[in-house]
PDB file of all heavy atoms in Angstrom:
ATOM      1  N   TYR A 794       0.616  16.434 -47.628  1.00  0.00           N
ATOM      2  CA  TYR A 794       0.415  16.715 -49.022  1.00  0.00           C
ATOM      3  C   TYR A 794      -0.972  16.347 -49.479  1.00  0.00           C
ATOM      4  O   TYR A 794      -1.375  16.586 -50.675  1.00  0.00           O
ATOM      5  CB  TYR A 794       1.422  15.928 -49.874  1.00  0.00           C
ATOM      6  CG  TYR A 794       1.177  14.491 -50.016  1.00  0.00           C
ATOM      7  CD1 TYR A 794       0.647  13.873 -51.188  1.00  0.00           C
ATOM      8  CD2 TYR A 794       1.573  13.629 -49.020  1.00  0.00           C
ATOM      9  CE1 TYR A 794       0.443  12.575 -51.311  1.00  0.00           C
ATOM     10  CE2 TYR A 794       1.376  12.161 -49.120  1.00  0.00           C
ATOM     11  CZ  TYR A 794       0.753  11.766 -50.273  1.00  0.00           C
ATOM     12  OH  TYR A 794       0.601  10.390 -50.461  1.00  0.00           O
ATOM     13  N   ARG A 795      -1.838  15.766 -48.541  1.00  0.00           N
ATOM     14  CA  ARG A 795      -3.188  15.413 -49.029  1.00  0.00           C
ATOM     15  C   ARG A 795      -4.089  15.413 -47.737  1.00  0.00           C
ATOM     16  O   ARG A 795      -3.661  15.809 -46.654  1.00  0.00           O
ATOM     17  CB  ARG A 795      -3.312  14.119 -49.771  1.00  0.00           C
ATOM     18  CG  ARG A 795      -2.998  12.877 -48.930  1.00  0.00           C
ATOM     19  CD  ARG A 795      -3.083  11.602 -49.863  1.00  0.00           C
ATOM     20  NE  ARG A 795      -2.904  10.436 -49.085  1.00  0.00           N
ATOM     21  CZ  ARG A 795      -2.879   9.234 -49.662  1.00  0.00           C
ATOM     22  NH1 ARG A 795      -3.184   9.080 -50.933  1.00  0.00           N
ATOM     23  NH2 ARG A 795      -2.659   8.169 -48.892  1.00  0.00           N
ATOM     24  N   ASP A 796      -5.349  15.057 -47.992  1.00  0.00           N
ATOM     25  CA  ASP A 796      -6.343  15.104 -46.913  1.00  0.00           C
ATOM     26  C   ASP A 796      -5.863  14.284 -45.672  1.00  0.00           C
ATOM     27  O   ASP A 796      -5.139  13.300 -45.919  1.00  0.00           O
ATOM     28  CB  ASP A 796      -7.672  14.670 -47.360  1.00  0.00           C
ATOM     29  CG  ASP A 796      -8.298  15.580 -48.395  1.00  0.00           C
ATOM     30  OD1 ASP A 796      -7.920  16.771 -48.312  1.00  0.00           O
ATOM     31  OD2 ASP A 796      -9.112  15.200 -49.116  1.00  0.00           O
ATOM     32  N   PRO A 797      -6.372  14.604 -44.444  1.00  0.00           N
ATOM     33  CA  PRO A 797      -5.985  13.784 -43.350  1.00  0.00           C
ATOM     34  C   PRO A 797      -6.369  12.345 -43.369  1.00  0.00           C
ATOM     35  O   PRO A 797      -7.222  11.861 -44.206  1.00  0.00           O
ATOM     36  CB  PRO A 797      -6.680  14.493 -42.098  1.00  0.00           C
ATOM     37  CG  PRO A 797      -7.071  15.836 -42.637  1.00  0.00           C
ATOM     38  CD  PRO A 797      -7.232  15.675 -44.167  1.00  0.00           C
ATOM     39  N   TYR A 798      -5.683  11.570 -42.594  1.00  0.00           N
ATOM     40  CA  TYR A 798      -5.971  10.082 -42.526  1.00  0.00           C
ATOM     41  C   TYR A 798      -7.379   9.896 -42.090  1.00  0.00           C
ATOM     42  O   TYR A 798      -7.848  10.572 -41.177  1.00  0.00           O
ATOM     43  CB  TYR A 798      -5.054   9.458 -41.519  1.00  0.00           C
ATOM     44  CG  TYR A 798      -4.960   7.937 -41.628  1.00  0.00           C
ATOM     45  CD1 TYR A 798      -4.385   7.285 -42.705  1.00  0.00           C
ATOM     46  CD2 TYR A 798      -5.416   7.250 -40.567  1.00  0.00           C
ATOM     47  CE1 TYR A 798      -4.287   5.946 -42.720  1.00  0.00           C
ATOM     48  CE2 TYR A 798      -5.378   5.735 -40.523  1.00  0.00           C
ATOM     49  CZ  TYR A 798      -4.797   5.175 -41.692  1.00  0.00           C
ATOM     50  OH  TYR A 798      -4.698   3.795 -41.764  1.00  0.00           O
ATOM     51  N   PRO A 799      -8.153   8.987 -42.745  1.00  0.00           N
ATOM     52  CA  PRO A 799      -9.655   9.026 -42.513  1.00  0.00           C
ATOM     53  C   PRO A 799     -10.113   8.603 -41.192  1.00  0.00           C
ATOM     54  O   PRO A 799     -11.126   9.047 -40.688  1.00  0.00           O
ATOM     55  CB  PRO A 799     -10.098   7.969 -43.634  1.00  0.00           C
ATOM     56  CG  PRO A 799      -8.907   7.245 -43.959  1.00  0.00           C
ATOM     57  CD  PRO A 799      -7.775   8.103 -43.855  1.00  0.00           C
ATOM     58  N   PHE A 800      -9.308   7.724 -40.510  1.00  0.00           N
ATOM     59  CA  PHE A 800      -9.811   7.209 -39.181  1.00  0.00           C
ATOM     60  C   PHE A 800      -8.549   6.987 -38.220  1.00  0.00           C
ATOM     61  O   PHE A 800      -7.655   6.227 -38.618  1.00  0.00           O
ATOM     62  CB  PHE A 800     -10.551   5.883 -39.316  1.00  0.00           C
ATOM     63  CG  PHE A 800     -11.158   5.360 -38.020  1.00  0.00           C
ATOM     64  CD1 PHE A 800     -12.333   5.873 -37.609  1.00  0.00           C
ATOM     65  CD2 PHE A 800     -10.482   4.388 -37.325  1.00  0.00           C
ATOM     66  CE1 PHE A 800     -12.887   5.390 -36.386  1.00  0.00           C
ATOM     67  CE2 PHE A 800     -10.974   3.962 -36.115  1.00  0.00           C
ATOM     68  CZ  PHE A 800     -12.237   4.515 -35.669  1.00  0.00           C
ATOM     69  N   GLY A 801      -8.563   7.686 -37.141  1.00  0.00           N
ATOM     70  CA  GLY A 801      -7.519   7.410 -36.188  1.00  0.00           C
ATOM     71  C   GLY A 801      -6.237   8.159 -36.493  1.00  0.00           C
ATOM     72  O   GLY A 801      -6.291   9.159 -37.278  1.00  0.00           O
ATOM     73  N   VAL A 802      -5.138   7.826 -35.790  1.00  0.00           N
ATOM     74  CA  VAL A 802      -3.888   8.530 -35.899  1.00  0.00           C
ATOM     75  C   VAL A 802      -3.187   8.042 -37.213  1.00  0.00           C
ATOM     76  O   VAL A 802      -3.199   6.873 -37.468  1.00  0.00           O
ATOM     77  CB  VAL A 802      -3.010   8.183 -34.659  1.00  0.00           C
ATOM     78  CG1 VAL A 802      -1.611   8.857 -34.791  1.00  0.00           C
ATOM     79  CG2 VAL A 802      -3.736   8.736 -33.490  1.00  0.00           C
ATOM     80  N   ASP A 803      -2.646   8.981 -37.851  1.00  0.00           N
ATOM     81  CA  ASP A 803      -1.871   8.760 -39.157  1.00  0.00           C
ATOM     82  C   ASP A 803      -0.711   7.925 -38.844  1.00  0.00           C
ATOM     83  O   ASP A 803       0.177   8.277 -37.868  1.00  0.00           O
ATOM     84  CB  ASP A 803      -1.425  10.077 -39.743  1.00  0.00           C
ATOM     85  CG  ASP A 803      -0.973   9.926 -41.196  1.00  0.00           C
ATOM     86  OD1 ASP A 803      -0.024   9.017 -41.397  1.00  0.00           O
ATOM     87  OD2 ASP A 803      -1.510  10.487 -42.121  1.00  0.00           O
ATOM     88  N   PRO A 804      -0.456   6.823 -39.431  1.00  0.00           N
ATOM     89  CA  PRO A 804       0.704   5.905 -39.149  1.00  0.00           C
ATOM     90  C   PRO A 804       2.060   6.556 -39.277  1.00  0.00           C
ATOM     91  O   PRO A 804       3.007   6.082 -38.787  1.00  0.00           O
ATOM     92  CB  PRO A 804       0.538   4.756 -40.154  1.00  0.00           C
ATOM     93  CG  PRO A 804      -0.386   5.251 -41.280  1.00  0.00           C
ATOM     94  CD  PRO A 804      -1.248   6.232 -40.553  1.00  0.00           C
ATOM     95  N   SER A 805       2.111   7.671 -40.045  1.00  0.00           N
ATOM     96  CA  SER A 805       3.444   8.318 -40.246  1.00  0.00           C
ATOM     97  C   SER A 805       3.903   9.085 -39.047  1.00  0.00           C
ATOM     98  O   SER A 805       5.120   9.342 -38.991  1.00  0.00           O
ATOM     99  CB  SER A 805       3.246   9.315 -41.481  1.00  0.00           C
ATOM    100  OG  SER A 805       3.017   8.583 -42.666  1.00  0.00           O
ATOM    101  N   TRP A 806       2.998   9.291 -38.123  1.00  0.00           N
ATOM    102  CA  TRP A 806       3.519   9.955 -36.896  1.00  0.00           C
ATOM    103  C   TRP A 806       4.526   9.023 -36.053  1.00  0.00           C
ATOM    104  O   TRP A 806       5.315   9.485 -35.319  1.00  0.00           O
ATOM    105  CB  TRP A 806       2.307  10.293 -35.990  1.00  0.00           C
ATOM    106  CG  TRP A 806       1.525  11.531 -36.414  1.00  0.00           C
ATOM    107  CD1 TRP A 806       0.340  11.414 -36.981  1.00  0.00           C
ATOM    108  CD2 TRP A 806       1.984  12.867 -36.332  1.00  0.00           C
ATOM    109  NE1 TRP A 806      -0.095  12.792 -37.291  1.00  0.00           N
ATOM    110  CE2 TRP A 806       0.901  13.659 -36.853  1.00  0.00           C
ATOM    111  CE3 TRP A 806       3.097  13.489 -35.881  1.00  0.00           C
ATOM    112  CZ2 TRP A 806       0.978  14.993 -37.005  1.00  0.00           C
ATOM    113  CZ3 TRP A 806       3.207  14.830 -36.048  1.00  0.00           C
ATOM    114  CH2 TRP A 806       2.128  15.597 -36.562  1.00  0.00           C
ATOM    115  N   ARG A 807       4.291   7.691 -36.248  1.00  0.00           N
ATOM    116  CA  ARG A 807       5.091   6.751 -35.477  1.00  0.00           C
ATOM    117  C   ARG A 807       6.580   6.829 -35.999  1.00  0.00           C
ATOM    118  O   ARG A 807       6.884   6.676 -37.155  1.00  0.00           O
ATOM    119  CB  ARG A 807       4.612   5.321 -35.715  1.00  0.00           C
ATOM    120  CG  ARG A 807       5.405   4.228 -35.113  1.00  0.00           C
ATOM    121  CD  ARG A 807       5.343   4.316 -33.550  1.00  0.00           C
ATOM    122  NE  ARG A 807       3.992   4.033 -33.116  1.00  0.00           N
ATOM    123  CZ  ARG A 807       3.612   4.051 -31.813  1.00  0.00           C
ATOM    124  NH1 ARG A 807       4.519   4.341 -30.914  1.00  0.00           N
ATOM    125  NH2 ARG A 807       2.350   3.821 -31.475  1.00  0.00           N
ATOM    126  N   GLY A 808       7.486   7.129 -35.003  1.00  0.00           N
ATOM    127  CA  GLY A 808       8.863   7.176 -35.368  1.00  0.00           C
ATOM    128  C   GLY A 808       9.397   8.562 -35.784  1.00  0.00           C
ATOM    129  O   GLY A 808      10.582   8.776 -35.836  1.00  0.00           O
ATOM    130  N   SER A 809       8.393   9.482 -35.964  1.00  0.00           N
ATOM    131  CA  SER A 809       8.896  10.863 -36.356  1.00  0.00           C
ATOM    132  C   SER A 809       9.299  11.713 -35.099  1.00  0.00           C
ATOM    133  O   SER A 809       9.005  11.206 -33.967  1.00  0.00           O
ATOM    134  CB  SER A 809       7.757  11.562 -37.016  1.00  0.00           C
ATOM    135  OG  SER A 809       6.720  11.840 -36.179  1.00  0.00           O
ATOM    136  N   ARG A 810      10.025  12.740 -35.305  1.00  0.00           N
ATOM    137  CA  ARG A 810      10.461  13.497 -34.098  1.00  0.00           C
ATOM    138  C   ARG A 810       9.354  14.222 -33.398  1.00  0.00           C
ATOM    139  O   ARG A 810       9.540  14.597 -32.254  1.00  0.00           O
ATOM    140  CB  ARG A 810      11.517  14.484 -34.557  1.00  0.00           C
ATOM    141  CG  ARG A 810      11.008  15.575 -35.553  1.00  0.00           C
ATOM    142  CD  ARG A 810      12.119  16.564 -36.025  1.00  0.00           C
ATOM    143  NE  ARG A 810      11.603  17.556 -36.895  1.00  0.00           N
ATOM    144  CZ  ARG A 810      12.365  18.557 -37.263  1.00  0.00           C
ATOM    145  NH1 ARG A 810      13.594  18.576 -36.934  1.00  0.00           N
ATOM    146  NH2 ARG A 810      11.796  19.480 -38.093  1.00  0.00           N
ATOM    147  N   SER A 811       8.195  14.382 -34.049  1.00  0.00           N
ATOM    148  CA  SER A 811       7.044  14.976 -33.424  1.00  0.00           C
ATOM    149  C   SER A 811       6.042  14.032 -32.830  1.00  0.00           C
ATOM    150  O   SER A 811       4.984  14.433 -32.351  1.00  0.00           O
ATOM    151  CB  SER A 811       6.232  15.836 -34.503  1.00  0.00           C
ATOM    152  OG  SER A 811       7.175  16.771 -35.094  1.00  0.00           O
ATOM    153  N   GLU A 812       6.451  12.722 -32.799  1.00  0.00           N
ATOM    154  CA  GLU A 812       5.485  11.731 -32.309  1.00  0.00           C
ATOM    155  C   GLU A 812       5.026  11.926 -30.911  1.00  0.00           C
ATOM    156  O   GLU A 812       3.839  11.985 -30.544  1.00  0.00           O
ATOM    157  CB  GLU A 812       6.124  10.319 -32.392  1.00  0.00           C
ATOM    158  CG  GLU A 812       5.237   9.260 -31.837  1.00  0.00           C
ATOM    159  CD  GLU A 812       5.900   7.908 -31.735  1.00  0.00           C
ATOM    160  OE1 GLU A 812       7.172   7.858 -32.085  1.00  0.00           O
ATOM    161  OE2 GLU A 812       5.306   6.887 -31.348  1.00  0.00           O
ATOM    162  N   LEU A 813       5.967  12.081 -29.975  1.00  0.00           N
ATOM    163  CA  LEU A 813       5.650  12.176 -28.582  1.00  0.00           C
ATOM    164  C   LEU A 813       4.875  13.496 -28.203  1.00  0.00           C
ATOM    165  O   LEU A 813       3.890  13.463 -27.461  1.00  0.00           O
ATOM    166  CB  LEU A 813       6.837  12.145 -27.664  1.00  0.00           C
ATOM    167  CG  LEU A 813       6.643  11.875 -26.227  1.00  0.00           C
ATOM    168  CD1 LEU A 813       5.866  10.647 -25.960  1.00  0.00           C
ATOM    169  CD2 LEU A 813       8.029  11.783 -25.380  1.00  0.00           C
ATOM    170  N   PRO A 814       5.356  14.678 -28.744  1.00  0.00           N
ATOM    171  CA  PRO A 814       4.493  15.888 -28.424  1.00  0.00           C
ATOM    172  C   PRO A 814       3.100  15.815 -29.049  1.00  0.00           C
ATOM    173  O   PRO A 814       2.148  16.235 -28.396  1.00  0.00           O
ATOM    174  CB  PRO A 814       5.302  16.998 -29.133  1.00  0.00           C
ATOM    175  CG  PRO A 814       6.716  16.459 -29.149  1.00  0.00           C
ATOM    176  CD  PRO A 814       6.556  15.047 -29.335  1.00  0.00           C
ATOM    177  N   TYR A 815       2.967  15.191 -30.206  1.00  0.00           N
ATOM    178  CA  TYR A 815       1.686  15.118 -30.791  1.00  0.00           C
ATOM    179  C   TYR A 815       0.731  14.160 -29.976  1.00  0.00           C
ATOM    180  O   TYR A 815      -0.357  14.598 -29.690  1.00  0.00           O
ATOM    181  CB  TYR A 815       1.856  14.550 -32.227  1.00  0.00           C
ATOM    182  CG  TYR A 815       0.476  14.199 -32.884  1.00  0.00           C
ATOM    183  CD1 TYR A 815      -0.387  15.222 -33.370  1.00  0.00           C
ATOM    184  CD2 TYR A 815       0.141  12.936 -33.048  1.00  0.00           C
ATOM    185  CE1 TYR A 815      -1.553  14.953 -33.950  1.00  0.00           C
ATOM    186  CE2 TYR A 815      -1.130  12.568 -33.610  1.00  0.00           C
ATOM    187  CZ  TYR A 815      -1.963  13.624 -34.107  1.00  0.00           C
ATOM    188  OH  TYR A 815      -3.178  13.301 -34.698  1.00  0.00           O
ATOM    189  N   LEU A 816       1.214  12.962 -29.731  1.00  0.00           N
ATOM    190  CA  LEU A 816       0.404  12.071 -28.859  1.00  0.00           C
ATOM    191  C   LEU A 816       0.140  12.599 -27.519  1.00  0.00           C
ATOM    192  O   LEU A 816      -0.969  12.358 -26.924  1.00  0.00           O
ATOM    193  CB  LEU A 816       1.089  10.693 -28.849  1.00  0.00           C
ATOM    194  CG  LEU A 816       1.189   9.934 -30.182  1.00  0.00           C
ATOM    195  CD1 LEU A 816       1.914   8.611 -29.940  1.00  0.00           C
ATOM    196  CD2 LEU A 816      -0.228   9.711 -30.805  1.00  0.00           C
TER     197      LEU A 816
END
Side-chain angles (χ1 to χ4, degrees):
Y794 74 102
R795 65 179 184 184
D796 293 336
Y798 195 67
F800 184 84
V802 176
D803 195 306
S805 295
W806 285 107
R807 176 68 64 181
S809 67
R810 63 180 182 177
S811 304
E812 175 189 3
L813 193 58
Y815 171 75
L816 293 179

